[in-house]
Amino acid sequence: MSDKVLHYCPGCTHGLAHRLVAEVIDELGILERTIGVASVGCSVFAYDYFRCDFQQAAHGRAPAVATGIKRVHPEAVVFTYQGDGDLAAIGTAEIVHAAARGEQITVIFINNAIYGMTGGQMAPTTLVGQATTTTPQGRAPERAGYPVRMSEILATLDGAAYIARMSLHDPLHVGRARRAIRKAFEVQLKGLGFSMVELLSSCPVNWGLKPIEALHWIEQRMIPSFPLGELKNTAGVV
Amino acid sequence: MKGLEAMGEAAIRAGCRYFFGYPITPQSELPEYMARRLPEVGGVFLQAESEVAAINMVFGAAGAGGRVMTSSSSPGISLKQEGISYIAGAELPCVIVNMMRGGPGLGGIHPSQSDYFQATKGGGHGDYRLLVLAPASVQELADLMFEAFELSERYRNPVLVLGDGLLGQMMEPVRLPPEQAVAPPNRPWATTGARGRAPNLVSSFHIDPAELEALNLRLQEKYRTIRAEQTRFAVEDPEGDARLFLVAYGTAARVCRAAMRRARAEGIPTGLIRPISLWPFPDAAFEQVMERALGFLTVELSLGQMVEDVRLAVAGRRPVEFYGRTGGMLPDPEAIVERLHLLWEKVGVRHG
């Protein structure tokens, strides 16, 4: 990672997720052939923090941009870093079809159950009953539908080789998340297909919680809706 | 050779090795041609899940240094506008083909020129311009397609080749440009993996307003250069005696050529101005004939879009009239000649 000071809010786990991805890239010794794709949202400045080539994509289109890059440089390691608004709402088609094609890219999917950058509106991943600025009385399924579980959806696709959902709420889970990220990159390095790691992350500011409370909220509220684990590992990467 | 196939072959000979597209009538033979040919030359054809995805794949491939194109037709081009704006903002080279069909909405599948505004005035959001080339024959489809790649790289700007279904389906003899050796791309800005150099960033995002203004000012400077260097047109005036000028591009220009001959046989000294670059618009063509011109009749396969640029170029010095058909209907040469007669009565007789 670069020396630049992170712009993320106090208690946000984006910085942690960045650190894990950067450590895995260093461990695998692939920094000089890695190309990242930054999405629209809080993480739009991801390219300021990673010391590899980057392209910035339109909202939701990171998997399509990554596809274009990977097809030009099959030997490169290409990853996208996307939030839940980006990946599970406006970019649903792009992520589904990149996975269906078995596109040899790695996706880091940050799920914090809310729209962060635009100021706390409902996301596709917002929990039933969760209050946001556009569901002030709490998400009511009869009006606003149900949370979308992208990892489960993508795991059904033949082109997806490795799909895992991990959490960043405590050191034990951070360690597991790190191992999953490493596996996802290894899947790409071995040319086995599409790989994605969903990371349950905090958004204390938009959730209206203190940083510590936010970590508890992930554990107590999010994990029951978004069960952790490897949803697919056909690649046999251990 | 069929127009669309000539375009595909010219693109490959220009070194295009990446095509991302989505089928839509009336241009599907172009992606089909690329699907067949690109693998033969070591290239990549990919049918995307949508036009939106296709243009963003183009963004990725262009940013990664690939020589890349996409093609579509009117409703599909509307979907690509988001990506085109990003590509213009990130200053990436690529070629986009629009074989226009009638609109608005789903419209129809027959030839039209009703996307002129979208092509030349923006289309997507932001202060940007595309270089827009309008061929009028299969030979020009091939030649301009070939050149489009060179121009897009010279200016690091997307180039739009604007045709229609009639040109694409037409079969005419064509001399294809020679195969261009695909030079190792010299694109120090591209994302290729930061081996032995500082990381590259391809982005159109500038949150600092001063920085964004600087980018926009720099883009305008580039557009001024393109305007000075890339204005293209043809003036057809068989006897050098024309007093009325038809103004038309693409398929409409072909119809106008027939109308010009007929009008001349009927005693109206008529010429034809054919803009080939629609942006930059060839104002110079009008200066070239202004002294002898008594009036202009713009003919389009729309209800009047390019005529606005013609009026700007003529700037009130001569009458500018308009005739257009739309929805996929073609203008009838006789109807054009009829309007030339009316204009001639108005301006020609007075002039003696």
Side-chain angles (χ1 to χ4, degrees):
Chain A
M1 287 182 78
S2 70
D3 295 334
K4 190 151 182 169
V5 177
L6 295 170
H7 72 285
Y8 301 113
C9 306
C12 166
T13 42
H14 261 310
L16 192 48
H18 280 15
R19 166 67 63 185
L20 298 183
V21 173
E23 284 178 3
V24 165
I25 288 172
D26 282 346
E27 248 173 45
L28 294 170
I30 53 172
L31 181 66
E32 293 191 330
R33 60 173 170 133
T34 295
I35 303 170
V37 182
S39 59
V40 172
C42 293
S43 61
V44 67
F45 292 119
Y47 46 74
D48 282 341
Y49 309 126
F50 290 92
R51 288 188 298 107
C52 60
D53 278 3
F54 248 90
Q55 293 202 31
Q56 203 283 310
H59 204 192
R61 318 298 175 222
V65 174
T67 298
I69 299 169
K70 186 73 179 185
R71 295 299 179 117
V72 173
H73 299 299
E75 73 294 348
V77 177
V78 180
F79 77 98
T80 73
Y81 189 100
Q82 304 177 257
D84 45 27
D86 192 83
L87 182 141
I90 195 169
T92 319
E94 283 78 6
I95 195 69
V96 166
H97 288 276
R101 282 193 302 271
E103 209 63 57
Q104 308 278 345
I105 61 172
T106 299
V107 174
I108 306 300
F109 170 34
I110 305 297
N111 176 1
N112 60 11
I114 204 159
Y115 277 33
M117 190 188 232
T118 47
Q121 297 85 7
M122 184 186 77
T125 45
T126 291
L127 304 179
V128 169
Q130 184 185 341
T132 71
T133 59
T134 49
T135 55
Q137 290 85 31
R139 183 177 192 166
E142 62 275 18
R143 289 195 299 276
Y146 294 89
V148 177
R149 294 186 186 92
M150 288 307 293
S151 287
E152 281 81 350
I153 292 172
L154 298 180
T156 65
L157 298 170
D158 291 347
Y162 182 79
I163 306 282
R165 182 186 288 120
M166 299 290 158
S167 171
L168 299 176
H169 72 276
D170 68 20
L172 174 73
H173 286 86
V174 169
R176 287 181 185 161
R178 191 176 189 282
R179 283 193 289 281
I181 292 168
R182 186 180 164 115
K183 283 187 194 179
F185 276 95
E186 282 172 347
V187 163
Q188 181 179 173
L189 285 167
K190 291 177 181 164
L192 299 171
F194 176 89
S195 57
M196 181 176 93
V197 179
E198 175 176 348
L199 298 169
L200 301 187
S201 298
S202 62
C203 186
V205 170
N206 286 308
W207 291 349
L209 299 173
K210 292 177 181 152
I212 299 290
E213 293 169 348
L215 296 177
H216 290 159
W217 197 85
I218 294 177
E219 186 181 13
Q220 288 154 15
R221 295 290 309 282
M222 283 187 81
I223 292 176
S225 267
F226 297 105
L228 304 181
E230 287 185 346
L231 289 120
K232 191 168 192 183
N233 187 357
T234 53
V237 178
V238 286
Chain B
M1 202 172 189
K2 202 176 196 178
L4 288 165
E5 292 174 348
M7 293 177 98
E9 188 55 36
I12 287 170
R13 290 180 183 219
C16 173
R17 289 296 177 270
Y18 304 95
F19 184 102
F20 302 95
Y22 188 79
I24 181 172
T25 308
Q27 60 79 58
S28 296
E29 289 96 329
L30 181 48
E32 284 166 4
Y33 187 84
M34 298 308 253
R36 202 160 61 238
R37 278 286 282 136
L38 273 173
E40 291 173 6
V41 293
V44 172
F45 167 87
L46 180 59
Q47 181 170 323
E49 62 271 26
S50 69
E51 286 89 347
V52 178
I55 192 70
N56 282 285
M57 291 172 185
V58 169
F59 180 101
R67 196 169 286 186
V68 57
M69 70 171 288
T70 186
S71 68
S72 193
S73 179
S74 306
I77 292 291
S78 291
L79 286 171
K80 289 186 199 286
Q81 293 302 335
E82 171 196 270
I84 294 172
S85 169
Y86 277 73
I87 292 169
E91 293 189 86
L92 298 177
C94 72
V95 174
I96 302 150
V97 172
N98 180 5
M99 302 308 271
M100 291 180 279
R101 57 189 248 181
L106 197 52
I109 60 168
H110 294 101
S112 168
Q113 296 180 325
S114 51
D115 302 349
Y116 180 91
F117 284 152
Q118 187 195 49
T120 61
K121 312 289 181 194
H125 59 281
D127 263 341
Y128 76 90
R129 296 286 187 167
L130 305 179
L131 234 154
V132 183
L133 302 175
S137 65
V138 175
Q139 184 63 55
E140 263 187 1
L141 285 174
D143 291 346
L144 293 178
M145 195 67 206
F146 189 86
E147 263 191 80
F149 283 94
E150 202 272 312
L151 292 172
S152 77
E153 284 175 30
R154 187 187 311 171
Y155 299 108
R156 279 184 66 183
N157 205 67
V159 176
L160 181 71
V161 179
L162 193 66
D164 63 60
L166 197 142
L167 288 168
Q169 300 298 331
M170 185 180 286
M171 287 187 82
E172 283 181 337
V174 57
R175 184 176 305 189
L176 287 163
E179 182 90 41
Q180 180 159 313
V182 185
N186 179 26
R187 300 182 178 103
W189 44 265
T191 59
T192 54
R195 183 166 292 125
R197 59 160 169 77
N200 281 340
L201 172 65
V202 171
S203 172
S204 61
F205 186 47
H206 305 275
I207 203 158
D208 173 1
E211 195 184 300
L212 182 54
E213 186 179 50
L215 167 77
N216 273 294
L217 292 173
R218 193 162 52 72
L219 287 177
Q220 291 305 318
E221 191 54 43
K222 173 166 84 175
Y223 302 149
R224 264 192 292 279
T225 306
I226 296 175
R227 222 187 278 261
E229 296 175 351
Q230 295 304 333
T231 295
R232 290 152 191 246
F233 60 91
V235 174
E236 298 183 23
D237 182 4
E239 309 287 329
D241 61 350
R243 292 293 175 270
L244 297 187
F245 283 89
L246 289 160
V247 188
Y249 68 96
T251 290
R254 298 174 72 100
V255 181
C256 280
R257 201 172 283 138
M260 173 178 76
R261 284 196 288 266
R262 198 170 297 189
R264 296 188 73 84
E266 293 175 18
I268 306 176
T270 307
L272 169 64
I273 293 176
R274 188 164 69 84
I276 295 171
S277 60
L278 299 183
W279 196 89
F281 189 73
D283 293 350
F286 297 85
E287 299 312 318
Q288 191 175 305
V289 305
M290 194 58 76
E291 230 166 69
R292 57 199 158 106
L294 298 176
F296 298 91
L297 174 63
T298 304
V299 178
E300 299 177 52
L301 275 60
S302 81
L303 292 181
Q305 299 193 17
M306 182 179 72
V307 65
E308 294 188 4
D309 285 333
V310 174
R311 290 200 173 108
L312 281 172
V314 173
R317 289 172 286 177
R318 303 288 184 275
V320 175
E321 309 224 324
F322 175 76
Y323 176 65
R325 296 295 300 273
T326 187
M329 298 297 289
L330 287 181
D332 183 345
E334 277 168 33
I336 297 171
V337 173
E338 203 175 295
R339 275 160 180 81
L340 286 169
H341 273 291
L342 292 174
L343 182 58
W344 187 238
E345 271 169 37
K346 205 156 84 180
V347 298
V349 176
R350 171 163 53 85
H351 204 76

